[in-house]
Amino acid sequence: MRAARLIKMVLLLQARPSMTAAELAGELEVSERTITRDAQALSEAGVPVYAERGRGGGYRLIGGYRTRLTGLGRSEAEALFLSGVPGALREMGLEDAASAARLKVSAALMPSVRDASQSASQRFHLDAPGWFKETPAPELLPPIADAVWDDRRVTARYRRQDAEVERELEPYGLVLKAGVWYLCARGSDTGSFRVYRIDRFTAIAAGDDRFVRDEEFDLPGFWEERAAQFARAILRSEVVLRLSEAGVRQLPYATDSASTQEALETASAPDEEGWVTLTLPVENEMVAYTQLMSLGPEVEVLEPKALRERFARAAHQMADRYR
């Protein structure tokens, strides 16, 4: 356990000019006192770890020291080969580069783990798009991906409802969500970040001008925040329902999971028939009708009145049809 920690400490210091005891303790999940002891142990073993004291101090390796302790174990090698998403790489035009990289990594591995690529592919495959839905790769994805990798500003034409707008963008990152590609970009003139669906771009022109990337920009964190904002923003209406026990179990499969959880947490106690009453946030009445119809007789709409009447008409029509 300690040997592995010491190796990781050396690799961390090799990758960065300097790290504080607090940063190393956080990365290695130990106390700062343990970091001090580990640094001393490395020095005694001949690894030139130097400690700088005072404000702005930390640990660093002297004289460009490089370790050769970079061999991958089987589990590490398999995890490396799992890190790629073949379909996404193909759509971005990176399939050949990824294949060459895998071959180079395989050639550099110890003989005992050179089958890691085959072992991983036999045990795990990621199919990102949802069922019954084939989403073709956007035609402009490869040039957008090139601009993202090169930090190049682009001039983009974007389809918004019935109009097209032109934007000067700094493309920061790509996100593949349920088979749909999105671009997270900063407006060159506004300085604010927005999310764009790539299949709505009608033209992309990348210039020679590179932008200076904000190193504090966190793509996963930004996407998580914007996705949550989007999910909340579209839920503009509410419906009041009665649900049977079976309806409660089925509701998460019919509607938005976040709104369902919120509604169930504030549901009433079961009545004498075992049914609960709750208020469910929904996008609009049309969407609510489509979603809740899948619950059949396990749901009763109480409000709004127009939606309740629509369910009543549908119930009468179905009863007549099946009579």
Side-chain angles (χ1 to χ4, degrees):
M1 179 69 177
R2 191 189 186 201
R5 187 175 72 242
L6 292 174
I7 291 172
K8 187 174 180 181
M9 182 174 176
V10 173
L11 294 175
L12 285 169
L13 293 174
Q14 183 174 295
R16 307 181 194 181
S18 176
M19 292 185 72
T20 65
E23 290 172 337
L24 285 167
E27 289 280 358
L28 300 174
E29 299 180 351
V30 295
S31 67
E32 292 185 33
R33 181 173 295 180
T34 298
I35 293 299
T36 301
R37 290 197 296 265
D38 286 353
Q40 183 177 353
L42 287 171
S43 295
E44 292 173 355
V47 178
V49 177
Y50 176 70
E52 295 178 323
R53 303 189 181 280
R55 186 182 180 88
Y59 292 94
R60 62 184 178 87
L61 295 175
I62 300 175
Y65 176 85
R66 308 291 294 179
T67 178
R68 297 183 180 273
L69 298 175
T70 54
L72 295 175
R74 172 168 293 279
S75 60
E76 294 168 328
E78 290 174 345
L80 175 63
F81 284 111
L82 284 178
S83 63
V85 183
L89 292 172
R90 182 173 59 253
E91 291 176 3
M92 288 189 291
L94 297 175
E95 186 175 25
D96 291 342
S99 176
R102 284 193 293 269
L103 287 173
K104 290 178 180 178
V105 172
S106 295
L109 291 173
M110 296 284 290
S112 60
V113 294
R114 281 183 185 161
D115 65 340
S117 174
Q118 181 180 4
S119 172
S121 64
Q122 288 176 338
R123 289 165 173 79
F124 183 83
H125 174 69
L126 177 61
D127 186 6
W131 281 102
F132 314 117
K133 214 170 136 183
E134 287 189 13
T135 307
E139 185 177 334
L140 295 177
L141 176 59
I144 292 175
D146 288 342
V148 170
W149 285 115
D150 291 342
D151 293 339
R152 291 187 182 276
R153 287 190 176 90
V154 298
T155 302
R157 292 195 61 80
Y158 188 76
R159 188 173 62 253
R160 180 181 293 172
Q161 296 179 349
D162 296 331
E164 282 192 3
V165 296
E166 187 169 289
R167 293 284 185 267
E168 299 287 332
L169 300 176
E170 297 175 357
Y172 264 66
L174 296 169
V175 175
L176 177 60
K177 170 71 172 179
V180 180
W181 283 96
Y182 296 87
L183 173 68
C184 301
R186 181 167 63 181
S188 298
D189 53 346
T190 64
S192 60
F193 287 94
R194 295 189 60 181
V195 175
Y196 301 86
R197 273 188 64 143
I198 289 184
D199 57 8
R200 292 181 184 168
F201 284 107
T202 58
I204 286 286
D208 297 328
D209 187 20
R210 284 187 168 89
F211 62 91
V212 178
R213 177 175 288 267
D214 182 354
E215 295 301 330
E216 295 185 0
F217 178 76
D218 174 20
L219 179 60
F222 172 79
W223 174 260
E224 183 178 3
E225 178 184 347
R226 289 304 171 92
Q229 289 176 357
F230 174 76
R232 288 193 299 269
I234 65 173
L235 302 176
R236 301 187 182 95
S237 302
E238 291 183 342
V239 296
V240 181
L241 311 172
R242 285 183 73 235
L243 289 170
S244 68
E245 186 177 343
V248 169
R249 291 196 302 269
Q250 296 171 21
L251 186 63
Y253 301 101
T255 62
D256 174 74
S257 58
S259 62
T260 298
Q261 182 177 356
E262 177 184 333
L264 292 175
E265 287 174 353
T266 57
S268 69
D271 59 21
E272 62 276 4
E273 297 179 358
W275 288 53
V276 300
T277 300
L278 54 81
T279 300
L280 178 71
V282 295
E283 185 173 347
N284 54 52
E285 289 186 18
M286 174 67 75
V287 172
Y289 174 77
T290 303
Q291 293 175 334
L292 296 174
M293 277 293 288
S294 65
L295 302 184
E298 307 303 330
V299 62
E300 178 187 359
V301 175
L302 302 179
E303 295 178 16
K305 181 180 178 182
L307 184 59
R308 178 178 174 86
E309 291 174 348
R310 184 170 185 177
F311 267 82
R313 289 194 300 271
H316 284 301
Q317 291 170 358
M318 292 180 69
D320 290 342
R321 189 160 292 123
Y322 284 97
R323 184 172 293 123

